[in-house]
Amino acid sequence: MSRRRLVYEGKAKILYEGPEPGTLIQYFKDDATAFNAQKKGSIAGKGVLNNRISEHIFTLLGQLGIPTHFIRRLNMREQLIRQVEIIPIEVVVRNVAAGTISTRLGLEEGTQLPRTILEYFYKDDALGDPMIADEHIAAFGWATQDEMTEIADMAIRVNDFLCGLFAGIGIRLVDFKLEFGRIWENEFARIILADEISPDGCRLWDMESGEKLDKDRFRRDLGGEAEAYQEVARRLGLLKGDDANMVLDLEQHRAKRGK
């Protein structure tokens, strides 16, 4: 197998140089981290599932007219994406109180928020991804006001769609994070959705039982992480019956052999 040029390695994904200019290959790892990588581990088959789930969601969003970096899935762990200039801001969309907003504001976890809330965090692992305000973004030139307006509008559109998508399969979308990037066309920059949308970056609760079907199972040592990710994929129609475990076992075996 020809050696590919590594462009970037993050906590959950690796980016390789793509086959054509302006493209990258995004590889999904099984590695799991929490609390700014203070807790590390692995979830068997997570990369396979996140690749499928993110592909499915990005494809649907593209059909709705939301521009994304996704081009196509290449194999069980990789997808071809557009190379973008990442805006160093994580956008967290909150529908229900959970995680840090519960801690910061003393809200009981599970409380329905009076309206959808957007929060912004500066992408810097060394600083612990601190929460920031519009004033910081403008002052340090991370994005223009027009770009932030477009990002906020897109985030709300994504949220509206995902709330309906997950509600249709009995899942409550509590919150999730988004990342955006710029595509340059001559001197004009266009904002598009980047990164991934999967149980790694979403809080997903079963509507009836309240069971967590996301990375909080890893954060909180609840166990059953792989089964939770598989359940989300099954409800989305991406995995069917016993074939899911068989496919994941085969893929993991090949990954261990380096093939």
Side-chain angles (χ1 to χ4, degrees):
M1 185 172 70
S2 60
R3 191 174 184 84
R4 300 182 295 185
R5 187 174 73 86
L6 186 147
V7 175
Y8 171 80
E9 181 167 1
K11 290 175 282 192
K13 294 182 292 297
I14 304 174
L15 297 179
Y16 295 101
E17 187 176 52
E20 300 172 359
T23 66
L24 296 170
I25 294 172
Q26 182 168 252
Y27 175 93
F28 288 76
K29 301 193 290 185
D30 283 349
D31 295 0
T33 63
F35 312 118
N36 198 28
Q38 293 180 33
K39 180 179 182 179
K40 298 180 181 179
S42 179
I43 300 174
K46 176 174 79 76
V48 176
L49 293 163
N50 284 352
N51 186 21
R52 292 291 303 277
I53 293 168
S54 193
E55 172 205 13
H56 180 67
I57 292 174
F58 272 58
T59 298
L60 293 175
L61 290 173
Q63 292 170 356
L64 291 176
I66 295 173
T68 80
H69 73 165
F70 177 78
I71 299 174
R72 66 179 182 274
R73 183 165 60 88
L74 298 174
N75 53 51
M76 295 182 75
R77 284 189 181 268
E78 294 179 332
Q79 53 185 234
L80 185 67
I81 60 173
R82 294 177 178 84
Q83 186 169 15
V84 303
E85 177 188 321
I86 287 290
I87 295 170
I89 299 166
E90 285 187 356
V91 181
V92 175
V93 185
R94 299 189 183 275
N95 300 306
V96 178
T100 59
I101 195 171
S102 292
T103 305
R104 281 186 277 117
L105 303 183
L107 298 172
E108 183 179 355
E109 186 167 88
T111 302
Q112 184 70 40
L113 298 174
R115 51 165 286 182
T116 297
I117 294 175
L118 300 184
E119 294 181 340
Y120 304 121
F121 297 82
Y122 180 50
K123 280 176 55 64
D124 190 309
D125 289 341
L127 298 175
D129 299 334
M131 189 175 179
I132 55 175
D134 286 325
E135 286 295 314
H136 299 103
I137 297 168
F140 297 112
W142 294 324
T144 68
Q145 186 57 56
D146 286 345
E147 286 176 330
M148 289 309 300
T149 298
E150 188 172 356
I151 284 170
D153 289 346
M154 205 181 301
I156 293 298
R157 287 183 64 198
V158 172
N159 182 58
D160 289 345
F161 171 73
L162 291 184
C163 281
L165 175 70
F166 284 117
I169 54 174
I171 293 176
R172 188 182 190 190
L173 179 61
V174 174
D175 59 38
F176 62 102
K177 78 173 183 69
L178 297 173
E179 294 187 23
F180 295 86
R182 298 182 185 94
I183 289 282
W184 289 91
E185 298 169 350
N186 297 321
E187 296 183 358
F188 175 74
R190 185 161 61 101
I191 299 296
I192 68 172
L193 184 64
D195 195 44
E196 66 174 298
I197 297 177
S198 74
D200 262 14
C202 303
R203 281 192 173 91
L204 304 169
W205 296 353
D206 181 84
M207 280 185 162
E208 292 188 4
S209 67
E211 181 183 5
K212 294 173 173 59
L213 302 173
D214 55 68
K215 200 169 74 170
D216 265 354
R217 303 200 68 84
F218 171 76
R219 292 187 188 97
R220 304 185 183 191
D221 297 317
L222 298 176
E225 299 94 342
E227 291 79 6
Y229 281 54
Q230 287 185 41
E231 180 63 19
V232 174
R234 281 197 188 95
R235 293 195 195 187
L236 288 169
L238 305 177
L239 296 176
K240 293 180 173 59
D242 294 335
D243 291 344
N245 289 327
M246 182 177 67
V247 169
L248 290 175
D249 288 345
L250 177 60
E251 198 283 333
Q252 290 165 43
H253 178 65
R254 288 175 176 169
K256 288 177 181 177
R257 293 178 58 191
K259 293 185 178 180

